Amino acid sequence: EVRLVESGGGLIQPGGSVRLSCEVSGFSVSRNFVSWVRQAPGKGLEWVSVIYTAGTKYYADSVKGRFTISEDNSENTVYLQMNSLRVEDTALYYCARGGGVASNLGNFDYWGQGTLVTVSS
Amino acid sequence: DIVMTQSPDSLAVSLGERATINCKSSQSVLYSANNKNYLAWYQQKPGQPPKNLIYWASTRESGVPDRFSGSGSGTDFTLTISNLQAEDVAVYYCQQYYSSPITFGQGTRLEIK
């Protein structure tokens, strides 16, 4: 059974940092695309970042230079290090399998339940 | 970036009737080399993560009822829900995975009339 479980969210002050975790079971993160997708309260979906084979990484322009995606293959876990946080980064952060642009794995077929990040003073 | 625009923003349909949601991309998401449209549809119910319904514009995910169908090519796509059921109340999103960054439509809220 495929499962993705996010953790690490909370209340963070503007300019602060937090690291989100996405613990995966049922597939190997080293052989799949794993993305972070966020949803601000009452708003739509926004793709944030993807990591895949050999550690290739891509980011949305809105987070480039501030967020870093990484993976630990031994723990089958994907991380999102979020620095220089802004109020507009407040959202429910989902991890999902997929996000491979121009590939057979571009759609997101499995999602976690999300972890809430609130950036506020 | 490819902009995905859905219409309408919301709609109300009677039980048993058909709901139609449109999605238009600012540029084609059809890859000519394999004749595939890099377009997916999702359903999101309150308090739940999105659920993938359709990929390649018209291929249903395993377990998705055949009441849900996707059509279209190039820049214009449609999600059709036939014989609307109460459990279909949700927000629906289209998504392109043709080019980076991946982008979603703004969502269409479906309610029961």
Side-chain angles (χ1 to χ4, degrees):
Chain A
E1 180 192 8
V2 172
R3 286 192 72 203
L4 300 95
V5 179
E6 304 93 337
S7 61
L11 176 62
I12 302 102
Q13 290 198 331
S17 299
V18 69
R19 188 179 79 159
L20 307 184
S21 300
C22 172
E23 189 173 337
V24 173
S25 56
F27 69 88
S28 171
V29 299
S30 64
R31 292 192 295 272
N32 281 271
F33 296 84
V34 178
S35 292
W36 289 94
V37 177
R38 68 184 180 183
Q39 186 168 37
K43 303 297 184 182
L45 301 168
E46 180 188 16
W47 171 80
V48 173
S49 182
V50 64
I51 188 168
Y52 58 100
T53 311
T56 304
K57 309 169 186 181
Y58 291 100
Y59 301 92
D61 284 347
S62 58
V63 307
K64 202 173 294 182
R66 301 187 298 122
F67 291 10
T68 303
I69 193 170
S70 62
E71 64 184 20
D72 182 333
N73 295 332
S74 64
E75 297 291 330
N76 215 33
T77 298
V78 173
Y79 301 99
L80 187 68
Q81 178 67 43
M82 305 166 62
N83 299 332
S84 302
L85 281 162
R86 305 167 180 167
V87 171
E88 55 265 34
D89 294 318
T90 294
L92 185 61
Y93 284 75
Y94 295 104
C95 65
R97 187 174 78 167
V101 167
S103 79
N104 291 331
L105 297 170
N107 57 302
F108 301 106
D109 58 355
Y110 292 97
W111 297 69
Q113 292 296 314
T115 186
L116 181 63
V117 173
T118 303
V119 184
S120 174
S121 55
Chain B
D1 298 6
I2 297 179
V3 177
M4 308 299 289
T5 304
Q6 293 181 225
S7 61
D9 289 332
S10 65
L11 77 161
V13 176
S14 301
L15 290 172
E17 297 299 306
R18 176 182 301 173
T20 301
I21 299 170
N22 300 301
C23 174
K24 188 174 184 68
S25 56
S26 61
Q27 62 189 76
S28 177
V29 298
L30 172 64
Y31 187 41
S32 56
N34 58 12
N35 201 37
K36 286 187 173 183
N37 287 282
Y38 287 63
L39 189 285
W41 287 97
Y42 299 85
Q43 174 194 65
Q44 187 177 32
K45 297 181 179 180
Q48 296 185 18
K51 174 186 175 182
N52 189 200
L53 299 174
I54 303 281
Y55 57 97
W56 299 133
S58 61
T59 301
R60 264 189 306 275
E61 268 283 4
S62 176
V64 173
D66 59 8
R67 302 183 291 104
F68 293 87
S69 63
S71 62
S73 185
T75 61
D76 292 279
F77 300 90
T78 300
L79 175 69
T80 301
I81 309 169
S82 304
N83 185 21
L84 190 73
Q85 303 295 302
E87 61 263 32
D88 299 334
V89 169
V91 178
Y92 293 83
Y93 296 93
C94 60
Q95 173 231 336
Q96 66 82 20
Y97 47 102
Y98 179 87
S99 69
S100 188
I102 282 173
T103 48
F104 292 88
Q106 80 277 18
T108 295
R109 185 174 302 276
L110 175 61
E111 299 173 336
I112 303 297
K113 187 186 293 183

